[in-house]
Amino acid sequence: MGNISYEFPVEKDDFERAGEASSKIKKILRQLGMDSGIIRRVAIGAYEAEMNLVIHSLGGTIRIDIDPKSIIITAEDKGPGIHDINLAMKEGYSTATEKIREMGFGAGMGLPNMKRCSDIFEIQSIVGKGTKIVMKMNLKDGD
Amino acid sequence: MTVGQICEKLRLKSLTGDVGMDREVKGAYVCDLLSWVMAHAHEGDAWITIQTHTNIVAVATLIELSCIIIPENAEIEDDTIKKAIEEGIPILTSEQNAFMICKNLISIGLGS
Ligand SMILES: Nc1ncnc2c1ncn2[C@@H]1O[C@H](COP(=O)(O)OP(=O)(O)OP(=O)(O)O)[C@@H](O)[C@H]1O
Ligand SMILES: [Mg+2]
């Protein structure tokens, strides 16, 4: 299999289309005939990253890069950035508004879920500039 | 057990016609926090939730839940039903609350 890359734009506050990028990513992996375990991990990671772009960011992109050894999901946004990454990574920590929480978001589980689904998880954030998250899932024989 | 069988036995109403009636229900999961569901629900679970906006369909599709059951006849947005039909996820409603739905699912043999 050669290398494959796709990038999807994700708009701020676009709850109508929220989840579409991750659904498309999942469909790509299914078409490639990948193992259901790895598909699930990628789907969860991509979904949580996508929802954070919709809810907490000013908009950005989700990218998938597939090579024979790994799948990399990259979420990048144009702000507002995260003040305290350690705090944001804590299970249960959320700055979601009451309105967002009523929709079932804001459990403070998104970033921990992303980390759990990845073999390598990296997050960089600059306040006023944006946040970049990279999730790498290693492929084993049979994936 | 299939979604269709559960519908019949629990007298659930399908809002998505006969979409996905032959999907296999392997268990059930109750929760209204979407990231919690993403982390803990299993493939094939029937998902009982009071959330009714379109994003529940994305959650169910991404982790391959068998169906969504909405308790106490909560009103469901048209867009959610439209999207569920597109994605092949059955949405079922019940007049009973989540506890009674679980009780009935157990009594017909789910989770044992
Ligand atoms: N892309 C982002 N830009 C700015 N802030 C972010 C971003 N992603 C996460 N955050 C901050 O980190 C917090 C924790 O994120 P996390 O995804 O873990 O939880 P949540 O989105 O609040 O709730 P959940 O994901 O469970 O619905 C958020 O509440 C928000 O303050
Ligand atoms: Mg989140």
Side-chain angles (χ1 to χ4, degrees), chain A residues 16 18 26 40 47 103-104 113, chain B residues 34-35 41 53 55 61 64:
Chain A
E16 197 74 13
K26 187 182 172 195
R40 184 183 164 96
Y47 172 82
M103 294 174 77
N113 278 355
Chain B
L34 306 183
S35 315
H53 53 80
N55 210 253
T61 312
E64 298 180 17

Side-chain angles (χ1 to χ4, degrees), chain A residues 4 24 32 37 47-48 50 99 109 125 140:
Chain A
I4 299 171
K24 283 180 189 151
L32 292 171
Y47 172 82
E48 294 292 3
E50 181 177 5
K99 199 166 159 263
M109 289 289 291
S125 192
K140 302 185 301 289

Side-chain angles (χ1 to χ4, degrees), chain A residues 47-49 51-53 55-56 94 105-111 114, chain B residues 35:
Chain A
Y47 172 82
E48 294 292 3
M51 291 319 301
N52 279 0
L53 293 188
I55 294 170
H56 306 294
S94 175
F105 303 105
M109 289 289 291
L111 289 169
M114 288 180 226
Chain B
S35 315

Side-chain angles (χ1 to χ4, degrees), chain B residues 40-100:
Chain B
H40 300 292
H42 293 112
E43 183 255 312
D45 281 350
W47 176 25
I48 302 164
T49 181
I50 202 72
Q51 298 295 348
T52 56
H53 53 80
T54 53
N55 210 253
I56 61 174
V57 179
V59 169
T61 312
L62 285 168
I63 57 171
E64 298 180 17
L65 304 174
S66 51
C67 62
I68 301 171
I69 306 178
I70 310 283
E72 299 180 83
N73 286 332
E75 213 168 294
I76 296 143
E77 289 144 52
D78 288 343
D79 283 350
T80 307
I81 296 167
K82 213 176 108 203
K83 196 153 178 203
I85 293 171
E86 269 168 35
E87 295 289 345
I89 300 282
I91 299 188
L92 319 170
T93 59
S94 170
E95 56 191 25
Q96 295 190 304
N97 67 25
F99 172 71
M100 291 306 289

